[in-house]
Amino acid sequence: MVDNIIRLDRNESPYPPPRIVLDEIRKTVSKANRYPSRELYDRLLYYLSNYTEVSTSHIVVNGGSDHMLELVTWMFAGDKGVTLVYPCFNVFVELLKLHGIKYRLVSMDYFSDKPIDLGELITYSKNSDLVYIDNPNNPSGRIMVKPKEIEELVIETREKPIIVIDEAYYEFSKVTAASLIESYDNLIVLRTFSKAWALAGLRIGYALAGKRALKAFYGMQYRVSLPALAGAIKALENSSYMYRIVKRIIDERERLRRKIRVLGLKTPQSSANYLLIFTGIKNIPSKLKHHGIYVKDYSHLGEGAIRVTIGNRRENRIFLNTLKEILLHS
Ligand SMILES: Cc1ncc(COP(=O)(O)O)c(C=O)c1O
């Protein structure tokens, strides 16, 4: 039994939120008998509007962004079904399977300059109710579509399908479709406080949504807890901490990726806080788990494929050394 487990399987931040945010969250606990106030919600919208440069009338805050994805699916996925880039955020695929919602896949090439065929995506999307693209993609970390290509997709599909761009890792990629929101009614950008903002435990995310797309969230906006609202506001007020840890994680990611490639393993370039690594080793997740290291199994994409969250320097060193050891003995 290993004492210190290293969790590199959920794309969380390896760093806790800053003290000022934690203090704010603690303060709200004594007011837990009260519902969160409208003013607090509006304050968060105000900060988010400054941060995203999107007007408050196009922003909705809710529990985690996976819940928002569910709301969008219930509202818009009909007989024509959903177009997805594959592989993508597996929680969404499981949701579609569970509820028997039809979907079509546009597959990607992890190592190509253009990971997906935009023409194919447009053709499928024309005949869909909903299009889902995680950008950066989970599990590869690749940017799938540039803002210009998103605009082309919206125009070519004549704004018919709802197009969801999941930007859960935006703070790492800096690529966003936010500037298109006020121009196109059918576009949704999903964001979260779970990754770069280090607040996964609070369960809070937000959507930037065009007029028609906003329908998915009617009546749902106030379902966020008081600590989550207060924590998110404090985090936005003190954003320099987030920028600092994002830089640290990106530096670590690039360092780790170089070392993985020196080992002769393939790993696509990532714009997020994780790497997809093709180790070629059977049962690699359980071998790593034996050493107390949790990673996400993606062996259905290739033998020994795993997604590894970038941890702190110590965690990354232990992961790398353990991987080397396993490679040596396999
Ligand atoms: C692409 C993507 N979208 C959404 C989520 C979920 O985010 P949240 O914690 O806001 O539900 C994740 C979490 O791993 C993710 O990878």
Side-chain angles (χ1 to χ4, degrees), residues 10-12 63-69 88-91 132 134-138 166-169 190-195 199-200 203-206 274 307:
R10 301 198 294 201
N11 296 347
E12 296 155 337
S65 58
D66 53 3
H67 179 53
M68 301 189 99
L69 198 49
C88 68
F89 182 37
N90 63 338
V91 170
Y132 173 78
D134 45 5
N135 207 39
N137 166 260
N138 179 359
D166 186 339
E167 295 182 358
Y169 304 94
L190 292 179
R191 298 265 188 91
T192 181
F193 282 92
S194 299
K195 309 299 177 183
L199 293 173
R203 311 304 299 125
I204 179 163
Y206 60 99
Y274 49 86
R307 191 198 66 202

Side-chain angles (χ1 to χ4, degrees), residues 137-258:
N137 166 260
N138 179 359
S140 71
R142 293 293 313 266
I143 285 291
M144 293 288 107
V145 272
K146 305 209 168 82
K148 248 192 153 28
E149 294 170 317
I150 296 170
E151 191 161 25
E152 192 177 334
L153 174 66
V154 175
I155 292 168
E156 288 291 324
T157 53
R158 295 186 172 72
E159 297 190 49
K160 280 195 179 139
I162 294 290
I163 296 175
V164 180
I165 309 295
D166 186 339
E167 295 182 358
Y169 304 94
Y170 158 70
E171 282 77 10
F172 299 97
S173 75
K174 286 287 165 210
V175 175
T176 180
S179 66
L180 303 173
I181 288 297
E182 293 182 33
S183 312
Y184 298 109
D185 285 354
N186 62 326
L187 196 58
I188 302 183
V189 166
L190 292 179
R191 298 265 188 91
T192 181
F193 282 92
S194 299
K195 309 299 177 183
W197 295 98
L199 293 173
L202 289 188
R203 311 304 299 125
I204 179 163
Y206 60 99
L208 311 172
K211 237 198 208 142
R212 180 156 67 92
L214 274 170
K215 274 193 195 150
F217 310 113
Y218 280 161
M220 296 288 176
Q221 13 330 22
Y222 301 109
R223 303 195 179 181
V224 190
S225 75
L226 183 58
L229 282 177
I233 291 169
K234 229 5 158 207
L236 283 161
E237 275 177 348
N238 295 276
S239 58
S240 59
Y241 176 84
M242 181 277 285
Y243 290 114
R244 220 168 40 246
I245 63 173
V246 162
K247 180 174 181 323
R248 206 181 295 168
I249 291 168
I250 291 175
D251 289 349
E252 273 295 294
R253 180 191 72 206
E254 291 311 299
R255 209 176 61 86
L256 186 62
R257 182 162 181 264
R258 275 195 301 276

Side-chain angles (χ1 to χ4, degrees), residues 2 7 10 21 39 42 81 104 118 122 135 157 229 281 311 319:
V2 184
R7 289 217 77 128
R10 301 198 294 201
V21 171
E39 289 71 38
D42 287 346
R104 301 166 93 178
L118 188 64
I122 290 171
N135 207 39
T157 53
L229 282 177
I281 304 167
F319 162 72

